[in-house]
Amino acid sequence: ATMAHDQWLPRRLSHLSLRLVTADGVLAMGIGAALILVGTRARVDALVVLYAINVFVTFTLSQLGMTVHWWRVRKSERRWVRKLTINGFGTFLTAAILILTLALKFDEGGWITVLITGALIGLCLQVKRHYGKVEAAIEELEKQVGPRTPPAQPVPAPARDTNAPTAVLLVKGFDGLGLATLIQIQELFPNEFRNIVFACVGEVDSSMLKSHEEIEAFEKKIADDVRTYYDYAAHLGLHPETRTGIGPDAVHELQRISLEVAETFPRVVFFAGKLVWDTTVEGFLSRFLHNHTALELQAWLQLYGYSLVILPIRVGPPLRPPSRDDEASAAADS
């Protein structure tokens, strides 16, 4: 869960189940342990080597981290020399044991450890790289949306009309994706909707179980972020409202909010934005690293007779449609 918070592993590994435990993380570790048992045929000699090498990897990294820490705070810590010496000596000892164990036991199962740990490190690097691309895409989208965004200044909002057509926009806080989707709704359906409801659910994860104050601050932040859309919607001639909530399951909370909004506004259509960028970012890894909440909610709302429209929000310049010359060239190459 800690690695998932820092985007080295899929974010779902930090999410909580309804029993407030990191169920996906426990399941992943259980499956991993079972695969290792099957792969090594439960040979104790191989398992002990695997355990010993990885334990001293973590010991060495921990001691090294503390050594770097004492060096960085040497100007404010009076006894930094003593503490750095202790952790530095610990780094030397644990690193020496790690190297000796790996060298002496390499043919007796050490190579398995190198293979498994190396593969895990490679996976973490790929996950971090993917999330970095997503963040860069969102930043690029905010630059594109800026010139098209109405000024965020207080203006009188139209009166509420519960019988008028109403759009419900699913957002994840205030960001470029939400603004771009809001603008696209008005461009695709001009003068169609009188009201717009911004629905946002904050997903409680393992990092918020430290104190009740953190959960309250998180709930307040979600509400404040969504209220930022008010003035933008008012400039577009829409009556804005918000519905927010927090919980371990975002889909479950959105289902509850959606039905509440549908009771208040009978003529309702739900919307969600989906980032679309370079196809090299998409693929199996992308599908696995994201929750696809909108698709789950779309299938659920259809059972109640409501529609959820997922609008593609393109990041970067739009792709040029293939011309007849391109098709002819491709046919000649094949």
Side-chain angles (χ1 to χ4, degrees):
T2 303
M3 293 181 69
H5 287 308
D6 294 334
Q7 300 183 350
W8 291 105
L9 287 175
R11 291 173 181 169
R12 66 180 64 192
L13 296 180
S14 67
H15 294 163
L16 301 173
S17 68
L18 295 178
R19 295 183 179 182
L20 299 182
V21 296
T22 52
D24 290 341
V26 174
L27 184 62
M29 288 190 292
I31 294 174
L35 292 176
I36 289 175
L37 282 175
V38 173
T40 61
R41 298 181 180 179
R43 291 191 297 116
V44 176
D45 54 347
L47 292 174
V48 168
V49 172
L50 187 149
Y51 169 78
I53 292 176
N54 280 299
V55 160
F56 279 99
V57 167
T58 58
F59 286 171
T60 304
L61 291 176
S62 299
Q63 293 290 342
L64 179 61
M66 291 304 300
T67 303
V68 173
H69 169 73
W70 297 128
W71 176 256
R72 289 178 176 175
V73 300
R74 63 187 183 279
K75 294 182 179 180
S76 58
E77 177 62 40
R78 293 175 54 189
R79 304 173 64 184
W80 70 272
V81 175
R82 177 175 178 270
K83 295 178 179 180
L84 184 144
T85 303
I86 293 174
N87 288 122
F89 184 64
T91 303
F92 171 76
L93 285 180
T94 54
I97 296 173
L98 171 63
I99 294 172
L100 287 173
T101 304
L102 187 59
L104 296 174
K105 299 293 184 179
F106 187 81
D107 294 334
E108 300 178 22
W111 66 272
I112 300 177
T113 305
V114 174
L115 182 64
I116 295 175
T117 306
L120 180 60
I121 293 173
L123 175 64
C124 292
L125 292 174
Q126 283 294 104
V127 171
K128 185 73 171 180
R129 180 170 172 266
H130 172 82
Y131 283 136
K133 283 188 175 182
V134 173
E135 292 180 354
I138 293 177
E139 292 178 0
E140 179 66 24
L141 177 63
E142 291 176 353
K143 295 179 182 179
Q144 295 178 12
V145 173
R148 301 165 54 199
T149 304
Q153 297 176 354
V155 296
R160 184 194 206 196
D161 185 357
T162 57
N163 294 319
T166 301
V168 178
L169 177 55
L170 308 181
V171 295
K172 189 177 181 181
F174 181 78
D175 57 14
L177 178 60
L179 281 176
T181 309
L182 171 63
I183 295 172
Q184 192 166 121
I185 290 174
Q186 282 295 87
E187 291 178 351
L188 294 176
F189 308 96
N191 303 320
E192 176 66 24
F193 298 104
R194 292 284 304 279
N195 312 300
I196 186 165
V197 179
F198 298 96
C200 180
V201 170
E203 199 159 6
V204 178
D205 56 34
S206 58
S207 67
M208 300 176 191
L209 295 181
K210 300 175 183 177
S211 65
H212 182 67
E213 289 75 14
E214 288 194 17
I215 297 179
E216 289 182 344
F218 178 63
E219 188 172 13
K220 183 177 183 301
K221 180 181 181 301
I222 292 294
D224 293 341
D225 283 350
V226 179
R227 287 195 189 97
T228 311
Y229 288 105
Y230 264 52
D231 295 327
Y232 293 100
H235 269 282
L236 295 174
L238 300 170
H239 170 77
E241 294 188 14
T242 62
R243 298 290 190 277
T244 61
I246 62 172
D249 189 343
V251 176
H252 178 75
E253 283 295 310
L254 285 173
Q255 290 172 352
R256 177 186 62 80
I257 291 174
S258 299
L259 292 183
E260 289 179 356
V261 173
E263 290 179 0
T264 305
F265 301 95
R267 302 174 62 186
V268 66
V269 178
F270 297 86
F271 291 91
K274 178 185 177 182
L275 280 177
V276 179
W277 58 85
D278 188 356
T279 54
T280 58
V281 185
E282 294 286 356
F284 172 77
L285 188 63
S286 176
R287 292 192 294 269
F288 180 72
L289 295 180
H290 300 280
N291 293 331
H292 304 287
T293 302
L295 292 175
E296 295 184 38
L297 187 64
Q298 182 185 54
W300 185 84
L301 286 172
Q302 289 174 352
L303 300 177
Y304 289 82
Y306 299 112
S307 298
L308 191 154
V309 181
I310 300 178
L311 299 177
I313 306 299
R314 170 72 185 173
V315 179
L319 298 179
R320 181 178 63 87
S323 63
R324 293 184 177 180
D325 294 338
D326 295 334
E327 295 177 357
S329 177
D333 293 339
S334 61

